Amino acid sequence: MLKRTFFILSAILLLSFNSCVDKAEPIADIKIRENDEAIQTYLKSKNITAISAGSGIYYTITQKNDAGRKPISGDLMSYHFQTSLLTGLKIDSTSRLENKPNYSPYGTENNLWGLFASVIKEGERATFFLPYSFGYGAEATSKVPAYSPIIMDFSIEKLRDEEEQIVSYIADNKYNMTSTDTGLRYMITKEVPTGAPLKNGQTIAVNYTGKLLYFEGILDAKNKPTTTFDSGTFSFVLGSTGSIAGFDQGVSKLKVGEKGIIIMPSSLGYKDIGSGRIPAKSPLFFEIEVVSAQ
């Protein structure tokens, strides 16, 4: 009788335990709640009044610029940031002293910088308080414990639309480029006076390298950020739809054997759609060498 009672009680306890396990709160939810409590405690201790941006994110604007421009989709942001733990330990940052900001397109890339920029203007600065899910995640790093909430200091230094990006890029690199009525800029870097002019309908073979102007949103073979999105050899029929309009127009300015660089607005590139690693509304830079024409 005692043995039978023991098994009945064991079964009841096991069922109760399984029921508790089934109803256990997910670890992610627990950590988000703990992060929120830690952030609220930090804000209170520093006497900071912060605004909720939803999803456990809070922010406070620390530098105002009422005359600042609001970012619009396709603008290039240059920005500075610094991340730290609630303890004050600094994790990562751009270099303000050396004036080396990072760059990111606004509204065409789904990233945290776009979220930050949506609540401030050019010339403004804000501090964001983020749960681990918007920070370094559930895995520990050498500096950051798992599930750590973080502080992000963020400022928009400058906003540039496409035309401003192109103009500043040309100036930064001291290029002497010719403009066309379509918005294309081109420059011949190696002239071959005896080279054959190119004609529509010919199959043109070129060596090329394609780059974004400022945004290092692509990883190279060594897993390092780069502006280069593609390079290689490409053949197409000049004057056809075998290439984007700006590439076709730029190549047509060269002769066989010549080299040149072209810069095009997105209207001559991948427009409002983008392509692969190229964000929408991106002006593009190409280095081109015409190998042959048949």
Side-chain angles (χ1 to χ4, degrees):
M1 183 67 180
L2 286 174
K3 187 174 182 181
R4 182 182 175 190
T5 302
F6 172 78
F7 281 119
I8 291 172
L9 289 172
S10 297
I12 292 170
L13 288 171
L14 183 60
L15 288 171
S16 299
F17 175 76
N18 286 338
S19 177
C20 289
V21 169
D22 290 342
K23 294 180 180 179
E25 186 178 9
I27 185 67
D29 293 349
I30 294 172
K31 294 299 182 181
I32 288 292
R33 187 178 68 252
E34 290 177 351
N35 277 194
D36 194 75
E37 291 170 355
I39 290 171
Q40 293 295 341
T41 298
Y42 178 89
L43 294 173
K44 187 175 181 180
S45 71
K46 301 294 184 180
N47 197 28
I48 297 172
T49 301
I51 302 166
S52 172
S55 301
I57 299 174
Y58 300 87
Y59 72 95
T60 180
I61 297 176
T62 57
Q63 178 179 302
K64 293 282 289 180
N65 180 20
D66 292 334
R69 163 177 153 192
K70 287 286 289 182
I72 61 173
S73 181
D75 278 349
L76 178 78
M77 298 185 294
S78 59
Y79 63 90
H80 280 297
F81 78 92
Q82 178 180 289
T83 55
S84 60
L85 298 178
L86 297 183
T87 60
L89 176 68
K90 294 179 181 178
I91 305 166
D92 194 12
S93 70
T94 52
S95 177
R96 289 185 184 274
L97 291 177
E98 296 179 12
N99 192 28
K100 292 183 177 179
N102 282 0
Y103 298 91
S104 183
Y106 177 76
T108 61
E109 289 284 283
N110 184 21
N111 57 31
L112 202 57
W113 313 119
L115 173 63
F116 294 163
S118 69
V119 299
I120 63 174
K121 295 178 281 192
E122 184 180 56
E124 292 192 332
R125 187 169 178 173
T127 302
F128 293 81
F129 305 89
L130 310 168
Y132 81 91
S133 52
F134 289 95
Y136 291 83
E139 299 296 328
T141 71
S142 58
K143 285 187 175 181
V144 184
Y147 299 107
S148 292
I150 63 169
I151 300 172
M152 179 79 77
D153 180 82
F154 177 84
S155 63
I156 300 177
E157 300 301 304
K158 193 170 184 61
L159 295 169
R160 298 181 179 96
D161 62 24
E162 282 196 53
E163 182 64 17
E164 290 168 334
Q165 291 174 55
I166 291 171
V167 169
S168 62
Y169 190 83
I170 291 171
D172 289 346
N173 290 280
K174 297 179 172 60
Y175 291 142
N176 182 20
M177 306 190 79
T178 300
S179 300
T180 72
D181 56 6
T182 64
L184 179 79
R185 272 79 161 184
Y186 71 93
M187 182 174 78
I188 299 173
T189 55
K190 177 188 173 183
E191 292 189 15
V192 180
T194 58
L198 307 185
K199 300 177 182 178
N200 283 347
Q202 288 181 314
T203 298
I204 313 298
V206 299
N207 295 326
Y208 73 95
T209 298
K211 300 179 181 181
L212 303 173
L213 298 192
Y214 291 98
F215 177 45
E216 292 186 326
I218 301 161
L219 298 180
D220 64 15
K222 295 182 180 179
N223 212 36
K224 292 185 177 180
T226 178
T227 59
T228 300
F229 58 81
D230 199 10
S231 64
T233 300
F234 176 55
S235 295
F236 68 103
V237 177
L238 190 67
S240 70
T241 57
S243 69
I244 53 176
F247 196 86
D248 190 276
Q249 292 176 22
V251 170
S252 72
K253 305 299 182 183
L254 304 174
K255 299 176 182 177
V256 174
E258 289 190 333
K259 295 181 180 180
I261 58 176
I262 61 174
I263 299 176
M264 69 184 75
S266 65
S267 59
L268 299 178
Y270 294 99
K271 300 181 172 59
D272 295 344
I273 302 171
S275 176
R277 298 187 293 177
I278 303 172
K281 301 181 180 179
S282 293
L284 303 177
F285 170 96
F286 284 94
E287 296 175 300
I288 300 168
E289 177 185 15
V290 179
V291 177
S292 64
Q294 296 180 347

